[in-house]
Amino acid sequence: MHRDGIGALAGLAAAAVAVGASELVAALLRPSASPLLSVASLVIDLTPPGVKDAVIGLFGTGDKAFLVVVLLVVLAAAAAGAGVLEARRAPAGRLLTVALAVGAAVAVVTRTGASPLDVVPTLVAALGAVVVLGRLTRPLREPGGAGPSRRALLLGAGVWAGLGIVAAAGAEAMQAPARRAAAAIARIRLPRPVSPVGPLPAGAQLDVPDLAPLITPTPDFYRIDIALSPPQLDPATWALQVTGEVERPLTLTYAELAGMPTRESRTTIMCVSNEVGGDLIGSAVWQGIPIRDVLELARPRAGADMVLSSGADGFSASTPLSALTDPGREALLAIGMNGEVLPELHGFPVRMIVPGLYGFVSATKWLTRLEVTRFDAATAYWTTRGYSAKAPIKVGSRIDVPDRAISAGVVTVAGVAWAQHTGIARVQLQVDDGPWRDCELSTEVTPDLWRQWRFRWTATTGTHQVRVRATDRHGLVQTARMQGVAPDGATGLHTVTLHVP
Ligand SMILES: Nc1nc2c(c(=O)[nH]1)N[C@H]1C(S)=C(S)[C@@H](COP(=O)(O)O)O[C@H]1N2
Ligand SMILES: [Mo]
C-alpha cells in the first residue's frame, strides 16, 4: 500500500478516536466542554449574519446538525492530511494534530461560562489522536521496513476507528435523555391560569439596592436536593400515581394534569437547612393545579392524615393531609415557575409547593407519586435521617443591607422577613443594647410571600451589632434562642456587625 494511503487511513482512525474519546469524556464531565460542539459554537459566532440566515433558510432547525456534519467532513480532511504528512515527514503530522487541538481548546475556553477544566476532553482527544497516529504509522519508520502489511494496517485502523465510533455512540446515548427532556420542555406551552396573580400592589417592593427582590429570579433561586443531577423525565411518559388510603386510586398523565384548571400563587419556599441569615430561601410565582383538586378525585379515606409524596430521585416527603385539602392554603402541583415551564433543576415536570412548610416535608420535585397514608404508618426520607416528620416554617428575618462599608450618618438597613401562611405583623431592629424599634414594611401581597423591611439608622462612629426580629400575625415573636437546623429548623436572630469609621 502506498505511503500516503497508509498515512491517510491512520489519520482518519486517529480522528475517530479523538472525536469518540472527547465526546465520551465531555458527556461524563460536562457536555458543553465537547471540542466538537465548542468549535461549532465558535463558527456560529464568527459566521456573518447573511450566511447564517441562508443556512437556516436551507436547513431550518437542522442547521446545527448540518454544521456538525460539515465540521466532521473538514476534520476528516484535515486528519487525512495530517496522516499523509506524518507518513512523509514524521512527526509533522502529530505536530499538526497538536496544533488543531490547541485551536479546539481555544474554542472551548472562550465559550461563555466555560471553566479551565473544560479543556480536559480536548486534551484527551489530542492525546488519543497523537498516540494512534504514531502507532499506525510506526512500521513506516522502521529501518528497512517495507511498511505494514495491508491486512495489518486495515485491521489496526479499523479497530481504532471502531473504538472511536463506539465511544461517540455511547456519548450520544448518554446525552439522549437530557436532549429529549430539553426538547420536551421547549415544546410545552403553559395553560392560562384561571386565577392569575396579577400585578404587584403598590409598595410591595421597596426600592433598596442589594435588597433581595420580592420575587427571586429563577437563575438565582436556591437549589437543594439529594439528586446528583436532576432526573430527566419525559412528560410524554411521565405519570402521577395517587394511591394508598383512597377510594379511587388514579394515574394522571402530564397532559391530563396540565388540562385541569391551574392557579398562580406567589409563595416563599425555604429549606430546613437554612442557617440564621442564610440564603436557602426564595420566592417565586408558581403556577399549578391545586393538590386538593387531585385528592378530591381520588377521595382519601377517613383516618388518613398524611400524604407521602415521592420524587424520581428517591426523595420522599410527609405532608399533613389537612394542609393539602385546606381550601385556604394554595398547595399546588406546580408546572410553572416565574411564568415559565418548571425548570429541570426545580422539579420538571411537576413539583409540590405548600405554603408554610419546609421544603423537605412538602416541596417534592420530579414528583411521581402521592400516597395517602398515616404519620404512624409511613416515614419520609429525611425523617429516617434525624429530621422531624412535621415541620412548619418558623417565623424569621434576615438583614441584607448594608453589605459593604458604610460611614457615619443615615444608613439604610434592610432585609426580608417571613412567616409563611400566617403573615408578618411587624419587624424590629435593635442596635447594640438599644430598644427594639419598628421597621418600615413593604405592603403585604399574601401571607405566603415574604415581606421586605427597611430602617433608616443614624450610624455613629464605632463598632455596632445590629439584629433583627420578626413577629407573626398570631403575635409570635421570633426567638433569640439559638438552635441548629436539625430536626425542624434553625432559630436565633440574624445579627451583623457594622464598623463605622
Ligand atoms: N425530589 C426531590 N424533591 C425535593 C428535594 C429532593 O432532594 N428531592 N429536596 C427538598 C428540599 S430539602 C427543599 S428545601 C426543596 C428545594 O427546592 P428548590 O431546589 O427548587 O429550591 O425541594 C425539596 N424537594
Ligand atoms: Mo430543604
Side-chain angles (χ1 to χ4, degrees), residues 23-33 117-121 124 174:
E23 286 302 308
L24 194 59
V25 173
L28 289 168
L29 288 183
R30 202 149 90 116
S32 64
L117 262 182
D118 287 352
V119 297
V120 170
V124 170
M174 278 172 61

Side-chain angles (χ1 to χ4, degrees), residues 221-226 271 313 315 346 351 359 363 365-366:
F221 209 95
Y222 81 95
R223 176 197 164 198
I224 293 285
D225 50 63
I226 61 168
C271 186
D313 56 346
F315 170 90
H346 298 287
R351 77 171 305 167
K365 305 192 275 187
W366 313 295

